[in-house]
Amino acid sequence: MTALLPLFVALPLLVAGVLVGVRMPRPARRTILLVVLVADLVAAGALLARTWSGAVLVEHVGGWDGGLAIPLVADAFSGLMLVTTVLLTVLTVAFACATGTADEPFFAPLVLLVTAGVNGALLTADLFNLFVFIEIMLLPSYGLILLAHRGRGSRQQVTASRIYVTVNLLTSTIFLVGVALIYAGTGRVSLGDLHGAAHTSPTALLGTVILLSALGIKAAVFPAHGWLGQTYPSMPPVVTALFSALHTKVAVYALFRVGAILFGETGPGPISLAVFTLSMIVGVLAAIGENDSRSILSFHMVSQIGYVLLGLALFTPAGLAAGVFYLVHNILAKGALFLSVAAVEDRYGRSSLGTVTGLLRREPLTAAAFFGAAISLAGLPPFSGFVAKLAIITASFSAGQWLVGAAALGVSLYTLMSMLKIWGGTFLGAANPEITEDDSHRIPFSLAAPALVLVVISLVLGVGGQLLLAPATTAAQSLIDPTIYLQEVSGR
């Protein structure tokens, strides 16, 4: 199966090229896109099944020895992330097909290019190729933003797009500087040769700090979080849902993977614990101050990323397992929330909270999807958010970080408050007369279904938490002791 690892990158790239070069009807483009993504999901599931118990699969592309070839590596962590990100992509594309967004000629190839970049970033064990795959992921993203606006973006949307492009180009440059410094200090860029590299020389330490800072900016970690709140709410709904599950989460994955290896047994240290705790607090406070559904959800991404990265900062087996669990949970819950809000916006238009009200009885499926995802994000049972937050708080207390655990618990209450703000301003109250008199606004099942699927999965992972805790624990053990991972990557 290791020989098939390059196909996770090559197949989406190849099909994207075919879709650009060959004219075909819209239904054919949509069908090919969905078939490739579903095949990617099935392959990712098979990969996770192979690595579930701790196995590491490696393919040195081109047959070169370790250290020279491009290493593509699959373990429980990368397999889990592949399954989750591809699942979200499939459901988002299904939503795009229902809204007509997928009918744009270049939508399918752009999504496949993004998928290839995400897959490569999750599988690579080489710092320079991590940079390359992140760029493969980002470049078509700029096209998706322009495509979805269809040349009719408002001034605010154009400004937001400029900020998004500028921030990502800048951070990519910073990332590359970090890679160069690490190479200057160690003579290596393969993760198989970089365990504990941050402690080998001042140059390597500086490169590590710069590289991880760049990833922190891409993940919207405090204090470099403002760009996300300025850009995501102004993007088209489908694009926002897709990016929320892919872009920041790939950066978070890279922080876990690269940070654990470069710092070695010491972990990233107490400064990161303070930064990630502040991200959690600042994000939720910013969300409470917003009066628009997507703005609230965007700032909540900052807060939730803080929760996820607390696991890395704690750098204990329990903390890392909780962080990995929380990362998967957050992709599911946040995707369901963005898709629910996108369904409402598609049929009723975008407006401030309280403008479109009383949708509970009129749109019960969308209301159920939003409510389930909202209480999961807030950490209430029986959804996956309860298990995730309980694990993070318990890990904090076990590590003696009582203030961090208390902060995580307090932020959950504010998260619930802001979710209730959207719930009350959209789904409760009396329905607007102009809405009740016009049945053309009704949200069809095809728009409500993607969010419902994610909420059902969150419920299953909440009731049967061991389904996700098992691979999350395996992933945490690999991050704490990456001996097998490093040996397979280096070819020794």
Side-chain angles (χ1 to χ4, degrees):
M1 189 171 184
T2 57
L4 299 179
L5 288 178
L7 289 179
F8 280 94
V9 178
L11 182 60
L13 288 177
L14 178 63
V15 176
V18 171
L19 290 177
V20 170
V22 178
R23 296 185 63 181
M24 58 184 67
R26 293 174 181 175
R29 284 200 307 269
R30 292 197 302 265
T31 301
I32 291 173
L33 173 60
L34 286 171
V35 167
V36 172
L37 290 176
V38 170
D40 195 11
L41 179 59
V42 171
L47 209 59
L48 178 58
R50 286 286 303 275
T51 58
W52 186 280
S53 59
V56 178
L57 308 179
V58 180
E59 173 66 17
H60 295 285
V61 178
W64 295 91
D65 294 333
L68 294 177
I70 298 174
L72 296 180
V73 187
D75 63 356
F77 192 13
S78 56
L80 194 58
M81 286 297 295
L82 277 172
V83 169
T84 310
T85 54
V86 177
L87 172 65
L88 207 291
T89 304
V90 170
L91 293 174
T92 304
V93 167
F95 185 94
C97 291
T99 61
T101 305
D103 291 338
E104 293 288 345
F106 292 102
F107 179 84
L110 288 173
V111 169
L112 288 174
L113 289 174
V114 171
T115 301
V118 171
N119 290 352
L122 295 176
L123 290 172
T124 188
D126 180 279
L127 291 180
F128 180 74
N129 286 292
L130 176 60
F131 164 78
V132 171
F133 284 125
I134 288 176
E135 291 307 296
I136 292 175
M137 174 185 73
L138 287 173
L139 289 175
S141 301
Y142 308 147
L144 279 174
I145 295 172
L146 295 174
L147 189 67
H149 285 320
R150 299 170 185 169
R152 299 190 296 272
S154 66
R155 177 174 296 182
Q156 181 181 5
Q157 291 171 329
V158 172
T159 300
S161 300
R162 287 176 178 171
I163 293 173
Y164 179 83
V165 173
T166 302
V167 168
N168 279 286
L169 289 176
L170 176 61
T171 51
S172 294
T173 304
I174 296 172
F175 183 94
L176 195 57
V177 170
V179 173
L181 288 171
I182 291 173
Y183 182 76
T186 64
R188 298 286 187 273
V189 291
S190 173
L191 291 180
D193 302 314
L194 291 175
H195 189 232
H199 306 297
T200 59
S201 70
T203 302
L205 176 60
L206 178 61
T208 298
V209 172
I210 291 175
L211 184 148
L212 296 181
S213 297
L215 289 173
I217 296 171
K218 287 183 179 293
V221 174
F222 174 86
H225 65 287
W227 68 268
L228 190 145
Q230 291 179 287
T231 57
Y232 273 44
S234 298
M235 290 181 182
V238 172
V239 174
T240 304
L242 186 64
F243 287 6
S244 72
L246 301 182
H247 288 184
T248 54
K249 304 310 183 295
V250 166
V252 171
Y253 166 85
L255 281 169
F256 271 84
R257 176 72 75 194
V258 177
I261 289 178
L262 292 180
F263 280 110
E265 293 82 0
T266 64
I271 294 178
S272 64
L273 191 64
V275 170
F276 300 150
T277 302
L278 285 172
S279 293
M280 189 173 58
I281 296 171
V282 171
V284 78
L285 292 178
I288 288 176
E290 296 295 326
N291 196 40
D292 171 84
S293 297
R294 271 202 281 155
S295 295
I296 292 173
L297 296 179
S298 295
F299 276 111
H300 263 301
M301 288 181 64
V302 177
S303 179
Q304 298 298 306
I305 286 169
Y307 271 104
V308 173
L309 290 173
L310 281 181
L312 175 62
L314 293 170
F315 210 71
T316 62
L320 288 168
V324 173
F325 190 107
Y326 206 113
L327 178 56
V328 174
H329 143 73
N330 187 245
I331 293 174
L332 299 174
K334 188 63 70 174
L337 288 169
F338 274 117
L339 288 174
S340 299
V341 169
V344 173
E345 289 185 13
D346 183 77
R347 292 296 166 166
Y348 298 96
R350 185 177 182 183
S351 57
S352 299
L353 289 176
T355 304
V356 176
T357 58
L359 295 184
L360 177 57
R361 292 185 178 180
R362 185 176 175 84
E363 308 291 356
L365 293 180
T366 301
F370 180 88
F371 184 77
I375 63 174
S376 183
L377 195 74
L380 298 179
F383 293 91
S384 60
F386 173 73
V387 181
K389 289 197 174 179
L390 180 62
I392 283 288
I393 294 170
T394 302
S396 299
F397 290 158
S398 298
Q401 300 294 339
W402 296 93
L403 288 178
V404 173
L409 186 59
V411 168
S412 296
L413 298 177
Y414 283 99
T415 301
L416 180 60
M417 288 172 54
S418 53
M419 290 298 102
L420 291 176
K421 184 177 181 179
I422 300 177
W423 176 255
T426 304
F427 296 99
L428 298 184
N432 307 65
E434 62 272 18
I435 292 176
T436 56
E437 295 172 0
D438 185 1
D439 282 341
S440 64
H441 285 302
R442 287 292 182 93
I443 298 174
F445 178 75
S446 57
L447 291 185
L452 281 171
V453 170
L454 292 171
V455 170
V456 169
I457 295 173
S458 178
L459 177 61
V460 170
L461 294 179
V463 175
Q466 190 60 31
L467 291 172
L468 181 52
L469 278 175
T473 301
T474 302
Q477 291 170 347
S478 177
L479 292 170
I480 288 284
D481 180 14
T483 302
I484 298 176
Y485 183 92
L486 298 173
Q487 288 176 347
E488 293 293 339
V489 173
S490 61
R492 293 193 291 269

